[in-house]
Amino acid sequence: MAKDKDRQLDTVLEVAGLRRDDALRLLGQAMRALEQGQQQLQQLESYAAESQARWNTRASQGVTPQLLHHHRQFMARLAEASQFQRDVISRLEADVQRQQEQVVLAERERAALGKYVDRKRQAVLRASERLDQKFNDEMAANAHRRQAAPTTAR
C-alpha cells in the first residue's frame, strides 16, 4: 500500500514537472514570436527610412504632383503597417507575460507538491522508525523478562 502511495506521489510530481516543462516550452515559443515581430517592425521601419531617403534625393531634382501624391500614400501605408506591427508586438508582449506567469505558477505547484511529497515520505519514515523502535523495545522487554524469570524462580 505504501509503495502504491509512493508511486502515486511520484506520478503527481512528474505530471507537475511536465506541466512546468510545457509552460517553459510555450514561453520559449512566445519569446521567439515576439523576437520575430520586433525584427519585422525593424525591417519595416528601416525600409520606410530608406524609402524616405531615396525620395528626398529624388525630390530635390523635382517631382510631379502625382508622384508626390503616390509617395505620400506609400509612406502612409508603411506607417499603417508599422503601427499594425506595433499592435502585434503589444499582443505578443502580453502573451510572453502570460506565459511567464504560467511558468511561475507551474513551478510553484511543482515545488509545493515536491515539499508535500517530501513531508509524506518523512512521515512514513518516522512511522517506520517508531514501529522499529517499538519492536526493538518489545524484544528487549521480552528478553529481560526471560532473563529475570529464571532468577526469581530459584
Side-chain angles (χ1 to χ4, degrees):
M1 181 75 169
K3 293 286 183 190
D4 288 340
K5 285 262 189 206
D6 208 32
R7 266 189 250 123
Q8 288 174 347
L9 291 174
D10 285 340
T11 301
V12 168
L13 196 56
E14 183 179 337
V15 168
L18 292 173
R19 282 186 190 142
R20 185 220 36 222
D21 294 346
D22 284 345
L24 285 169
R25 180 182 51 76
L26 292 172
L27 174 60
Q29 289 174 350
M31 291 175 80
R32 283 188 295 281
L34 175 59
E35 185 177 321
Q36 288 173 348
Q38 290 169 333
Q39 288 174 354
Q40 287 175 345
L41 177 61
Q42 182 188 22
Q43 289 171 348
L44 269 172
E45 289 176 341
S46 293
Y47 182 67
E50 290 170 12
S51 293
Q52 187 61 45
R54 280 193 309 271
W55 171 257
N56 291 341
T57 302
R58 188 170 186 195
S60 65
Q61 300 167 355
V63 293
T64 65
Q66 186 180 14
L67 193 55
L68 177 61
H69 176 71
H70 288 298
H71 171 71
R72 286 181 178 163
Q73 283 182 329
F74 177 69
M75 294 307 291
R77 286 188 181 146
L78 282 178
E80 287 173 16
S82 292
Q83 185 56 49
F84 177 81
Q85 193 60 30
R86 281 187 204 89
D87 293 343
V88 167
I89 288 172
S90 292
R91 287 191 299 275
L92 291 171
E93 287 171 339
D95 191 36
V96 166
Q97 181 67 32
R98 278 190 303 277
Q99 294 304 326
Q100 287 172 333
E101 291 167 3
Q102 289 301 313
V103 168
V104 169
L105 289 173
E107 183 56 39
R108 280 186 192 153
E109 179 183 333
R110 194 194 67 70
L113 287 169
K115 287 180 183 179
Y116 175 77
V117 167
D118 288 344
R119 284 193 308 267
K120 281 295 187 182
R121 287 185 177 150
Q122 288 296 321
V124 167
L125 182 62
R126 283 192 304 274
S128 175
E129 288 172 349
R130 282 193 300 270
L131 284 174
D132 288 346
Q133 184 63 45
K134 182 179 177 184
F135 177 75
N136 289 336
D137 290 348
E138 288 174 1
M139 292 293 288
N142 288 338
H144 180 68
R145 278 192 291 265
R146 280 192 298 265
Q147 285 179 347
T151 56
T152 57
R154 289 184 201 170

